[in-house]
Protein backbone atom coordinates (compact mmCIF):
# COMPACT_ATOMS: atom_id res chain seq x y z
CA UNK A 1 0.00 0.00 0.00
CA UNK A 2 2.80 2.31 0.89
CA UNK A 3 4.64 1.54 -2.41
CA UNK A 4 1.51 2.32 -4.43
CA UNK A 5 1.17 5.63 -2.65
CA UNK A 6 4.79 6.54 -3.37
CA UNK A 7 4.41 5.58 -6.97
CA UNK A 8 1.34 7.78 -7.39
CA UNK A 9 3.16 10.62 -5.65
CA UNK A 10 6.09 10.37 -8.06
CA UNK A 11 3.77 10.26 -11.01
CA UNK A 12 1.96 13.30 -9.79
CA UNK A 13 5.23 15.12 -9.24
CA UNK A 14 6.47 14.28 -12.76
CA UNK A 15 3.19 15.41 -14.27
CA UNK A 16 3.32 18.69 -12.43
CA UNK A 17 6.90 19.14 -13.50
CA UNK A 18 6.11 18.54 -17.19
CA UNK A 19 3.17 20.85 -16.96
CA UNK A 20 5.34 23.52 -15.43
CA UNK A 21 7.95 23.02 -18.15
CA UNK A 22 5.35 23.30 -20.95
CA UNK A 23 3.89 26.35 -19.37
CA UNK A 24 7.32 27.99 -19.15
CA UNK A 25 8.01 27.03 -22.79
CA UNK A 26 4.73 28.48 -23.93
CA UNK A 27 5.38 31.60 -21.92
CA UNK A 28 8.87 31.92 -23.43
CA UNK A 29 7.55 31.29 -26.92
CA UNK A 30 4.82 33.86 -26.42
CA UNK A 31 7.37 36.35 -25.15
CA UNK A 32 9.61 35.73 -28.13
CA UNK A 33 6.66 36.11 -30.48
CA UNK A 34 5.71 39.39 -28.85
CA UNK A 35 9.32 40.58 -28.95
CA UNK A 36 9.63 39.65 -32.66
CA UNK A 37 6.36 41.40 -33.41
CA UNK A 38 7.50 44.49 -31.53
CA UNK A 39 10.84 44.43 -33.33
CA UNK A 40 9.15 44.10 -36.76
CA UNK A 41 6.73 46.87 -35.89
CA UNK A 42 9.58 49.09 -34.71
CA UNK A 43 11.58 48.34 -37.88
CA UNK A 44 8.64 49.18 -40.11
CA UNK A 45 8.07 52.35 -38.18
CA UNK A 46 11.71 53.45 -38.31
CA UNK A 47 12.34 52.45 -41.98
CA UNK A 48 9.22 52.82 -44.15
CA UNK A 49 11.07 51.84 -47.37
CA UNK A 50 10.40 48.35 -48.62
CA UNK A 51 13.23 45.89 -48.36
CA UNK A 52 14.17 44.49 -51.76
CA UNK A 53 15.43 40.96 -51.60
CA UNK A 54 17.81 40.20 -54.52
CA UNK A 55 16.76 37.22 -56.61
CA UNK A 56 18.62 34.03 -56.05
CA UNK A 57 20.93 32.93 -58.85
CA UNK A 58 19.39 30.43 -61.23
CA UNK A 59 20.40 26.86 -60.63
CA UNK A 60 22.54 25.72 -63.58
CA UNK A 61 21.03 22.86 -65.57
CA UNK A 62 22.61 19.42 -65.22
CA UNK A 63 25.41 18.61 -67.67
CA UNK A 64 24.20 17.42 -71.05
CA UNK A 65 20.91 19.30 -70.90
CA UNK A 66 20.23 21.10 -74.28
CA UNK A 67 19.85 24.92 -74.04
CA UNK A 68 16.33 26.31 -74.24
CA UNK A 69 15.31 27.71 -77.69
CA UNK A 70 16.08 31.44 -78.25
CA UNK A 71 13.02 33.71 -78.28
CA UNK A 72 11.94 34.60 -81.84
CA UNK A 73 12.19 38.35 -82.64
CA UNK A 74 9.09 40.35 -83.30
CA UNK A 75 8.43 40.35 -87.06
CA UNK A 76 7.37 44.01 -86.95
CA UNK A 77 10.70 45.03 -85.45
CA UNK A 78 12.56 42.91 -88.01
CA UNK A 79 10.70 44.49 -90.93
CA UNK A 80 11.38 48.01 -89.57
CA UNK A 81 15.12 47.29 -89.26
CA UNK A 82 15.29 45.91 -92.79
CA UNK A 83 13.33 48.86 -94.16
CA UNK A 84 15.58 51.49 -92.55
CA UNK A 85 18.69 49.59 -93.62
CA UNK A 86 17.47 49.68 -97.22
CA UNK A 87 16.75 53.39 -96.94
CA UNK A 88 20.25 54.05 -95.58
CA UNK A 89 21.81 52.11 -98.46
CA UNK A 90 19.76 54.01 -101.05
CA UNK A 91 20.60 57.40 -99.55
CA UNK A 92 24.26 56.46 -99.33
CA UNK A 93 24.30 55.53 -103.01
CA UNK A 94 22.47 58.71 -104.00
CA UNK A 95 24.81 60.82 -101.86
CA UNK A 96 27.88 59.23 -103.39
CA UNK A 97 26.51 59.78 -106.89
CA UNK A 98 25.65 63.40 -106.13
CA UNK A 99 29.12 64.06 -104.70
CA UNK A 100 30.69 62.57 -107.82
CA UNK A 101 28.42 64.63 -110.05
CA UNK A 102 29.24 67.87 -108.24
CA UNK A 103 32.94 67.08 -108.30
CA UNK A 104 32.78 66.54 -112.04
CA UNK A 105 30.89 69.80 -112.73
CA UNK A 106 32.21 73.29 -113.07
CA UNK A 107 31.54 75.53 -110.09
CA UNK A 108 29.26 77.79 -112.14
CA UNK A 109 27.15 74.76 -113.16
CA UNK A 110 26.10 73.93 -109.61
CA UNK A 111 23.05 75.85 -108.30
CA UNK A 112 23.92 77.50 -105.03
CA UNK A 113 27.66 77.20 -105.71
CA UNK A 114 27.63 79.31 -108.84
CA UNK A 115 29.88 82.35 -108.70
CA UNK A 116 27.79 85.41 -109.40
CA UNK A 117 28.96 87.34 -112.46
CA UNK A 118 30.74 90.59 -111.65
CA UNK A 119 30.00 92.00 -115.10
CA UNK A 120 33.18 90.96 -116.90
CA UNK A 121 32.95 90.24 -120.59
CA UNK A 122 34.14 87.07 -122.28
CA UNK A 123 37.04 88.00 -124.50
CA UNK A 124 38.79 85.59 -126.84
CA UNK A 125 42.23 84.31 -125.93
CA UNK A 126 44.68 87.14 -126.50
CA UNK A 127 47.97 86.67 -128.34
CA UNK A 128 50.42 89.32 -129.38
CA UNK A 129 51.11 89.49 -133.10
CA UNK A 130 54.50 88.19 -134.27
CA UNK A 131 57.38 90.63 -134.67
CA UNK A 132 59.18 90.98 -137.98
CA UNK A 133 62.32 88.90 -138.12
CA UNK A 134 65.13 90.50 -136.11
CA UNK A 135 62.90 93.25 -134.64
CA UNK A 136 63.04 93.84 -130.87
CA UNK A 137 60.06 94.32 -128.59
CA UNK A 138 58.90 97.82 -127.73
CA UNK A 139 60.72 97.93 -124.39
CA UNK A 140 63.86 95.98 -125.24
CA UNK A 141 67.20 97.59 -124.42
CA UNK A 142 68.06 97.53 -128.11
CA UNK A 143 64.95 99.61 -128.94
CA UNK A 144 65.54 103.10 -127.48
CA UNK A 145 62.64 104.57 -129.50
CA UNK A 146 60.26 102.08 -127.83
CA UNK A 147 58.75 101.37 -131.22
CA UNK A 148 56.08 98.71 -131.78
CA UNK A 149 57.31 96.85 -134.85
CA UNK A 150 54.28 94.55 -134.92
CA UNK A 151 51.27 95.40 -137.07
CA UNK A 152 49.38 98.10 -135.16
CA UNK A 153 46.03 96.79 -136.41
CA UNK A 154 46.76 93.45 -134.73
CA UNK A 155 47.43 95.20 -131.43
CA UNK A 156 43.84 96.50 -131.11
CA UNK A 157 41.81 94.52 -128.58
CA UNK A 158 39.26 92.21 -130.26
CA UNK A 159 35.55 92.46 -129.47
CA UNK A 160 34.16 90.23 -126.68
CA UNK A 161 31.81 87.33 -127.26
CA UNK A 162 28.33 88.35 -128.39
CA UNK A 163 29.26 91.95 -129.26
CA UNK A 164 28.31 93.60 -132.53
CA UNK A 165 31.25 95.33 -134.20
CA UNK A 166 31.07 98.85 -135.60
CA UNK A 167 32.29 98.70 -139.22
CA UNK A 168 32.72 102.48 -139.35
CA UNK A 169 35.76 102.24 -137.07
CA UNK A 170 37.54 99.73 -139.27
CA UNK A 171 38.45 102.50 -141.73
CA UNK A 172 40.15 101.68 -145.00
CA UNK A 173 42.24 98.52 -144.71
CA UNK A 174 42.07 98.94 -140.94
CA UNK A 175 43.54 102.46 -140.96
CA UNK A 176 41.32 105.21 -139.58
CA UNK A 177 41.25 108.83 -140.80
CA UNK A 178 42.26 111.41 -138.21
CA UNK A 179 38.91 113.16 -138.60
CA UNK A 180 37.01 110.07 -137.41
CA UNK A 181 39.15 109.95 -134.28
CA UNK A 182 38.68 113.68 -133.60
CA UNK A 183 34.90 113.23 -133.78
CA UNK A 184 35.10 111.78 -130.25
CA UNK A 185 35.65 115.32 -128.91
CA UNK A 186 32.84 117.78 -128.34
CA UNK A 187 34.10 121.30 -129.05
CA UNK A 188 35.25 122.35 -132.51
CA UNK A 189 37.96 124.51 -131.00
CA UNK A 190 39.32 121.59 -129.01
CA UNK A 191 39.25 119.33 -132.08
CA UNK A 192 41.31 121.86 -133.97
CA UNK A 193 43.79 122.22 -131.10
CA UNK A 194 44.20 118.47 -130.81
CA UNK A 195 44.62 118.07 -134.56
CA UNK A 196 47.44 120.56 -134.44
CA UNK A 197 49.08 118.78 -131.50
CA UNK A 198 48.92 115.44 -133.34
CA UNK A 199 50.34 116.87 -136.54
CA UNK A 200 53.15 118.70 -134.78
CA UNK A 201 54.20 115.49 -133.04
CA UNK A 202 54.34 113.49 -136.22
CA UNK A 203 51.25 111.25 -136.04
CA UNK A 204 51.78 108.38 -138.48
CA UNK A 205 48.52 106.41 -138.52
CA UNK A 206 45.56 105.28 -136.42
CA UNK A 207 44.08 101.81 -135.95
CA UNK A 208 40.73 101.41 -134.26
CA UNK A 209 37.90 99.03 -133.39
CA UNK A 210 34.47 99.49 -131.85
CA UNK A 211 31.53 97.32 -130.78
CA UNK A 212 28.25 97.30 -128.87
CA UNK A 213 27.43 94.61 -126.30
CA UNK A 214 23.99 93.22 -125.54
CA UNK A 215 23.51 95.54 -122.55
CA UNK A 216 23.89 98.59 -124.80
CA UNK A 217 27.45 99.52 -123.81
CA UNK A 218 29.36 101.07 -126.72
CA UNK A 219 33.15 100.67 -126.80
CA UNK A 220 35.65 102.49 -129.01
CA UNK A 221 39.41 101.89 -129.00
CA UNK A 222 41.94 104.00 -130.89
CA UNK A 223 45.69 103.34 -131.23
CA UNK A 224 47.79 106.27 -132.49
CA UNK A 225 51.40 105.61 -133.52
CA UNK A 226 54.12 108.25 -133.39
CA UNK A 227 57.85 108.31 -134.06
CA UNK A 228 59.07 107.52 -130.53
CA UNK A 229 58.08 106.93 -126.97
CA UNK A 230 59.41 110.33 -125.94
CA UNK A 231 56.88 112.08 -128.19
CA UNK A 232 54.00 110.01 -126.83
CA UNK A 233 55.04 110.58 -123.23
CA UNK A 234 55.07 114.34 -123.80
CA UNK A 235 51.66 114.31 -125.50
CA UNK A 236 50.24 112.10 -122.78
CA UNK A 237 51.41 114.10 -119.78
CA UNK A 238 51.24 117.62 -121.15
CA UNK A 239 48.14 117.66 -123.37
CA UNK A 240 45.65 114.83 -123.31
CA UNK A 241 45.94 113.14 -119.92
CA UNK A 242 46.81 115.44 -117.01
CA UNK A 243 46.42 113.95 -113.54
CA UNK A 244 43.32 115.85 -112.37
CA UNK A 245 41.09 115.98 -115.45
CA UNK A 246 41.35 115.19 -119.18
CA UNK A 247 42.92 117.82 -121.40
CA UNK A 248 40.12 117.60 -123.97
CA UNK A 249 36.42 117.04 -123.31
CA UNK A 250 34.80 114.05 -125.00
CA UNK A 251 31.52 114.27 -126.85
CA UNK A 252 28.51 113.83 -124.55
CA UNK A 253 30.40 114.66 -121.35
CA UNK A 254 30.27 117.61 -119.01
CA UNK A 255 32.63 117.03 -116.08
CA UNK A 256 35.04 114.06 -115.99
CA UNK A 257 37.47 113.49 -113.13
CA UNK A 258 40.32 111.10 -112.50
CA UNK A 259 39.16 107.53 -111.87
CA UNK A 260 41.12 105.96 -109.00
CA UNK A 261 39.00 102.81 -108.85
CA UNK A 262 41.48 100.56 -110.67
CA UNK A 263 43.00 97.92 -108.37
CA UNK A 264 46.79 98.27 -107.97
CA UNK A 265 47.42 94.79 -109.41
CA UNK A 266 46.01 95.94 -112.76
CA UNK A 267 49.03 98.17 -113.42
CA UNK A 268 51.07 97.05 -116.44
CA UNK A 269 54.81 97.59 -116.43
CA UNK A 270 56.02 100.35 -118.79
CA UNK A 271 52.43 101.36 -119.65
CA UNK A 272 51.09 104.62 -118.21
CA UNK A 273 47.36 104.94 -117.61
CA UNK A 274 45.04 107.86 -116.86
CA UNK A 275 41.36 106.96 -116.56
CA UNK A 276 38.43 109.34 -116.15
CA UNK A 277 34.83 108.94 -115.04
CA UNK A 278 32.03 111.32 -115.94
CA UNK A 279 30.49 112.78 -112.80
CA UNK A 280 26.76 112.95 -112.08
CA UNK A 281 24.55 114.58 -113.05
CA UNK A 282 25.28 113.52 -116.61
CA UNK A 283 23.15 113.41 -119.72
CA UNK A 284 21.29 110.46 -121.23
CA UNK A 285 24.42 108.31 -120.97
CA UNK A 286 27.54 108.13 -118.84
CA UNK A 287 30.98 108.10 -120.45
CA UNK A 288 34.18 106.53 -119.13
CA UNK A 289 37.48 106.85 -120.93
CA UNK A 290 41.19 106.21 -120.45
CA UNK A 291 44.45 107.19 -122.15
CA UNK A 292 47.39 104.79 -122.35
CA UNK A 293 51.00 105.67 -123.08
CA UNK A 294 52.92 102.61 -124.28
CA UNK A 295 56.16 103.32 -126.11
CA UNK A 296 55.42 104.96 -129.44
CA UNK A 297 51.65 104.30 -129.17
CA UNK A 298 49.01 106.52 -127.57
CA UNK A 299 45.72 104.68 -126.93
CA UNK A 300 42.25 105.97 -126.15
CA UNK A 301 39.58 103.61 -124.74
CA UNK A 302 36.01 104.96 -124.51
CA UNK A 303 32.92 103.28 -123.10
CA UNK A 304 29.47 104.82 -122.87
CA UNK A 305 26.09 103.49 -121.91
CA UNK A 306 22.62 104.87 -121.45
CA UNK A 307 22.01 105.48 -117.77
CA UNK A 308 25.27 104.35 -116.21
CA UNK A 309 28.41 102.79 -117.66
CA UNK A 310 29.59 99.86 -115.52
CA UNK A 311 33.07 100.09 -114.03
CA UNK A 312 34.09 96.41 -114.27
CA UNK A 313 33.93 95.90 -118.07
CA UNK A 314 35.60 99.28 -118.53
CA UNK A 315 38.50 98.35 -116.28
CA UNK A 316 38.73 94.93 -117.90
CA UNK A 317 38.90 96.41 -121.39
CA UNK A 318 41.54 98.98 -120.42
CA UNK A 319 43.74 96.40 -118.70
CA UNK A 320 43.57 93.91 -121.58
CA UNK A 321 44.46 96.61 -124.09
CA UNK A 322 47.38 97.62 -121.87
CA UNK A 323 48.62 94.02 -121.84
CA UNK A 324 48.62 93.86 -125.62
CA UNK A 325 50.70 97.02 -125.79
CA UNK A 326 53.03 96.17 -122.90
Amino acid sequence: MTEQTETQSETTTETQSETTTETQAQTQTSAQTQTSAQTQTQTQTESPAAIVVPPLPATPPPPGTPPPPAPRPDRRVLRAVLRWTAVAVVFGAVGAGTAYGIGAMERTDVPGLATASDGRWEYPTLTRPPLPSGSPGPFADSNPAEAHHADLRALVLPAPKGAKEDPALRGSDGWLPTGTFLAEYSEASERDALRTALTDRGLRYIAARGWTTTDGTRTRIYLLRFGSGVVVHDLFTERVAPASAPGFRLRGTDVSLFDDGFPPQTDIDRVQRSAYNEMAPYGPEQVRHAYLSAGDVLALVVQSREGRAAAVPFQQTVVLQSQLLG
Side-chain angles (χ1 to χ4, degrees):
M1 185 71 178
T2 302
E3 294 177 358
Q4 184 178 3
T5 302
E6 290 177 356
T7 303
Q8 290 179 352
S9 177
E10 290 177 358
T11 302
T12 301
T13 303
E14 291 176 359
T15 303
Q16 288 177 354
S17 176
E18 290 177 358
T19 302
T20 302
T21 302
E22 291 178 359
T23 302
Q24 291 177 354
Q26 289 177 359
T27 303
Q28 184 177 359
T29 302
S30 177
Q32 291 177 353
T33 302
Q34 291 178 1
T35 303
S36 176
Q38 291 176 0
T39 303
Q40 183 176 0
T41 303
Q42 183 178 1
T43 303
Q44 291 178 353
T45 303
E46 293 178 355
S47 178
I51 300 175
V52 178
V53 179
L56 297 175
T59 303
T65 303
R72 299 181 63 182
D74 192 343
R75 291 183 177 272
R76 291 174 299 176
V77 176
L78 182 60
R79 284 196 297 267
V81 171
L82 293 176
R83 182 166 58 250
W84 284 109
T85 302
V87 170
V89 171
V90 170
F91 272 92
V94 172
T98 303
Y100 174 80
I102 291 177
M105 296 169 70
E106 295 294 334
R107 180 177 179 84
T108 53
D109 294 335
V110 183
L113 293 181
T115 303
S117 172
D118 59 0
R120 280 179 286 185
W121 293 340
E122 184 178 350
Y123 280 96
T125 302
L126 302 181
T127 56
R128 291 189 180 92
L131 294 171
S133 179
S135 298
F139 302 112
D141 294 338
S142 58
N143 186 2
E146 298 182 333
H148 285 79
H149 294 289
D151 190 334
L152 188 66
R153 294 166 294 186
L155 289 174
V156 184
L157 185 68
K161 181 180 179 180
K164 182 180 179 181
E165 289 207 42
D166 183 1
L169 291 183
R170 298 298 294 174
S172 176
D173 294 331
W175 302 116
L176 193 72
T178 305
T180 304
F181 166 73
L182 292 174
E184 286 288 350
Y185 299 90
S186 59
E187 299 293 334
S189 59
E190 291 190 345
R191 290 196 295 269
D192 291 340
L194 183 55
R195 182 190 297 273
T196 301
L198 298 178
T199 302
D200 291 346
R201 288 168 173 78
L203 174 64
R204 295 185 174 182
Y205 32 80
I206 303 173
R209 179 173 288 123
W211 61 79
T212 302
T213 52
T214 55
D215 66 347
T217 301
R218 295 189 303 119
T219 302
R220 288 91 70 195
I221 300 178
Y222 304 91
L223 303 185
L224 290 71
R225 173 171 283 171
F226 294 84
S228 69
V230 175
V231 172
V232 172
H233 178 75
D234 175 70
L235 181 63
F236 177 85
T237 56
E238 299 297 332
R239 300 302 304 271
V240 300
S244 58
F248 299 91
R249 188 162 59 93
L250 291 185
R251 183 180 70 249
T253 65
D254 187 10
V255 177
S256 295
L257 298 179
F258 186 77
D259 182 2
D260 59 356
F262 281 74
Q265 61 268 27
T266 61
D267 295 340
I268 306 300
D269 189 32
R270 307 296 292 271
V271 177
Q272 290 182 274
R273 176 184 67 217
S274 284
Y276 305 95
N277 184 21
E278 184 181 9
M279 298 291 101
Y282 34 79
E285 63 179 13
Q286 185 188 28
V287 179
R288 297 176 181 268
H289 69 289
Y291 290 101
L292 303 174
S293 172
D296 63 342
V297 174
L298 176 73
L300 171 65
V301 179
V302 184
Q303 278 190 1
S304 58
R305 182 174 181 267
E306 184 177 355
R308 182 177 180 273
V312 171
F314 172 66
Q315 295 175 358
Q316 179 191 18
T317 303
V318 171
V319 171
L320 291 178
Q321 183 60 73
S322 301
Q323 291 176 344
L324 282 176
L325 295 174

